[in-house]
């Protein structure tokens, strides 16, 4: 099994703290900015950053639906880490000051253990681009919400 990684980022014209707070708000903002690939969204514990447990289904392709049960941690300032209890997937959200005053740069990276063989080759080749498109959409929705 090879590790697969998908990363995308976006500059958002809002204070980094405001952007981080919106991302960490699983009871409100997060559910409002999820694209249509996410379904069955449910906060099971907490709801604001560290200690949150949240569930959703992610339809990455027409045939691939991932059932995610995520534990949220905040290991550093400006960082949310979502660890999926149902798989090896770990998604890290980093919010740092942007290039412009009063702006934030959001970088989201998901890593997981991919399949082996020819299936793994296709997963490693195509999955990162597909997941990056989904997160690009989410970040665009987030920007519209907080800017």
């Amino acid at each position: 099994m090879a590790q697969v990684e998908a990363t995308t980022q976006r500059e958002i014209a809002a204070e980094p703290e405001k952007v981080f707070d919106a991302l960490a708000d699983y009871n409100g903002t997060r559910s409002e900015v999820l694209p249509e690939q996410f379904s069955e969204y449910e906060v099971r514990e907490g709801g604001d950053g560290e200690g949150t447990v949240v569930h959703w289904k992610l339809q990455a392709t027409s045939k691939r639906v991932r059932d995610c049960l995520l534990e949220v941690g905040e290991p550093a300032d400006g960082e949310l880490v979502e660890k999926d209890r149902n798989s090896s997937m770990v998604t890290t959200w980093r919010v740092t000051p942007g290039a412009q005053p009063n702006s934030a740069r959001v970088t989201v990276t998901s890593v997981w253990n991919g399949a082996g063989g020819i299936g793994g080759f296709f997963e490693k080749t195509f999955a990162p681009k597909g997941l990056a498109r989904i997160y690009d959409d989410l970040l665009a929705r987030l920007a519209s919400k907080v800017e």
Side-chain angles (χ1 to χ4, degrees), residues 20 42 59 115 144:
F20 181 83
E42 177 187 16
Q59 184 154 1
S144 293

Side-chain angles (χ1 to χ4, degrees), residues 94-111:
R94 285 187 185 89
V95 180
T96 57
Q100 301 300 316
N102 303 318
S103 71
R105 174 170 298 172
V106 180
T107 304
V108 56
T109 302
S110 290
V111 294

Side-chain angles (χ1 to χ4, degrees), residues 60-126:
T61 68
S62 60
K63 296 179 183 177
R64 178 76 167 114
V65 178
R66 193 180 279 264
D67 188 357
C68 302
L69 183 60
L70 305 148
E71 294 178 6
V72 179
E74 291 185 36
D77 285 346
E79 188 173 274
L80 286 171
V81 177
E82 300 169 343
K83 294 182 180 179
D84 188 4
R85 291 180 180 172
N86 297 334
S87 74
S88 62
M89 181 177 271
V90 177
T91 300
T92 303
W93 301 82
R94 285 187 185 89
V95 180
T96 57
Q100 301 300 316
N102 303 318
S103 71
R105 174 170 298 172
V106 180
T107 304
V108 56
T109 302
S110 290
V111 294
W112 68 94
N113 296 327
I118 191 72
F121 169 78
F122 284 106
E123 181 180 20
K124 191 167 180 103
T125 302
F126 297 109

Side-chain angles (χ1 to χ4, degrees), residues 13-26:
E15 292 286 339
E17 295 80 19
K18 181 178 181 180
V19 174
F20 181 83
D21 289 347
L23 276 172
D25 178 16
Y26 290 87

Side-chain angles (χ1 to χ4, degrees), residues 121-143:
F121 169 78
F122 284 106
E123 181 180 20
K124 191 167 180 103
T125 302
F126 297 109
K129 291 176 185 158
L131 191 55
R133 275 194 300 277
I134 292 168
Y135 282 127
D136 281 339
D137 188 4
L138 188 154
L139 290 175
R141 291 166 182 250
L142 177 66

